[in-house]
């Protein structure tokens, strides 16, 4: 996945022309402003990968084809209603805060919040639960992220073994520009790469 946040529509079109089809954006408003300039790329997939406030769920459901940062039942409720309105199915990933950092979003692994989400899944007919996503604590050394990637994979395996209704666990979204090789070694099925594709972001986020 090419993470195109902060980059203008013309750079995204250039990446598309170069063969990229899956894009990640982290802000509803920013993507809303660019979306009109990105019409006519039929097989492009737009993923929301940033924290999503429930009051922006309906705008997100309109703009994005997938939400990789689901982190509460409340958000799932809003997103499901919005997806029903839009007459579409939205694939979702549950975002896990594997490092337990206060500054990061995502549900705490093995918490009641995760259980609530997993058990509520069958109620959300317009959402397709596909797997897990994480942003580990930053470390200069890519190998520093390895234990967190491994932990996410183990959590995924544990959930998958339960064969819960409405839950599939095929996707493990982990790894960014500085650590995607390590993430792939630990089982990532989707790396989210921004800087290594588009260069430094114009605005630090
Ligand atoms: C910005 C961002 C990325 C990409 O980060 P890079 O270090 O530029 O590759 C990946 N995932 C999320 C959730 C992001 O917000």
């Amino acid at each position: 996945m090419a993470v195109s946040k902060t980059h203008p529509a013309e750079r995204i079109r250039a990446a598309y022309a170069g063969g990229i089809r899956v894009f990640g954006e982290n802000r509803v408003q920013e993507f809303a402003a660019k979306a009109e300039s990105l019409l006519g790329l039929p097989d492009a997939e737009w993923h929301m990968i940033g924290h999503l406030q429930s009051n922006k769920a309906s705008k997100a459901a309109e703009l994005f084809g997938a939400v990789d940062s689901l982190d509460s039942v409340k958000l799932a409720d809003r997103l499901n209603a919005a997806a029903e309105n839009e007459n579409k199915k939205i694939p979702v990933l549950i975002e896990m805060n594997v490092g337990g950092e206060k500054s990061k979003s995502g549900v705490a692994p093995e918490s009641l919040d995760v259980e609530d989400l997993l058990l509520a899944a069958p109620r959300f007919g317009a959402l397709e639960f596909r797997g897990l996503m994480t942003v580990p604590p930053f470390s200069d050394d890519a190998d520093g992220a390895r234990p967190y990637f491994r932990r996410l994979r183990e959590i995924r395996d544990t959930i998958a073994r339960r064969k819960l209704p409405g839950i599939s666990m095929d996707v493990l979204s982990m790894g960014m520009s500085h650590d995607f090789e390590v993430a792939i070694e630990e089982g990532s099925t989707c790396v989210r790469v921004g800087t290594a594709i588009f260069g430094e972001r114009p605005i630090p986020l």
Side-chain angles (χ1 to χ4, degrees), residues 149-159 161 172:
F149 293 150
R150 191 165 293 176
R151 174 116 197 264
L152 192 72
R153 188 191 65 212
E154 286 165 359
I155 294 168
R156 189 273 311 265
D157 292 345
T158 305
I159 296 172
R161 273 196 294 273
L172 260 191

Side-chain angles (χ1 to χ4, degrees), residues 136-149 179 182:
F138 181 83
S139 57
D140 289 323
D141 171 16
D143 231 35
R146 190 183 295 279
Y148 299 103
F149 293 150
D179 57 15
V182 174

Side-chain angles (χ1 to χ4, degrees), residues 18 25 63 100 113 151 160 170 187:
E25 286 277 338
L63 293 170
D113 294 339
R151 174 116 197 264
D170 299 330

Side-chain angles (χ1 to χ4, degrees), residues 1-7 24-26 48-51 68-69 95 133-135 138 173 175-180 191-201 205:
M1 171 187 297
V3 178
S4 50
K5 66 190 188 198
T6 77
H7 295 290
E25 286 277 338
N26 73 337
M48 172 60 180
I49 61 170
H51 180 61
D68 297 356
S69 49
E95 180 177 359
M133 187 274 247
T134 199
V135 182
F138 181 83
S173 173
M176 312 187 348
S177 291
H178 67 290
D179 57 15
F180 66 85
V191 293
R192 306 179 308 270
V193 179
T195 315
I197 293 174
F198 293 101
E200 290 297 328
R201 279 182 283 280
L205 280 183

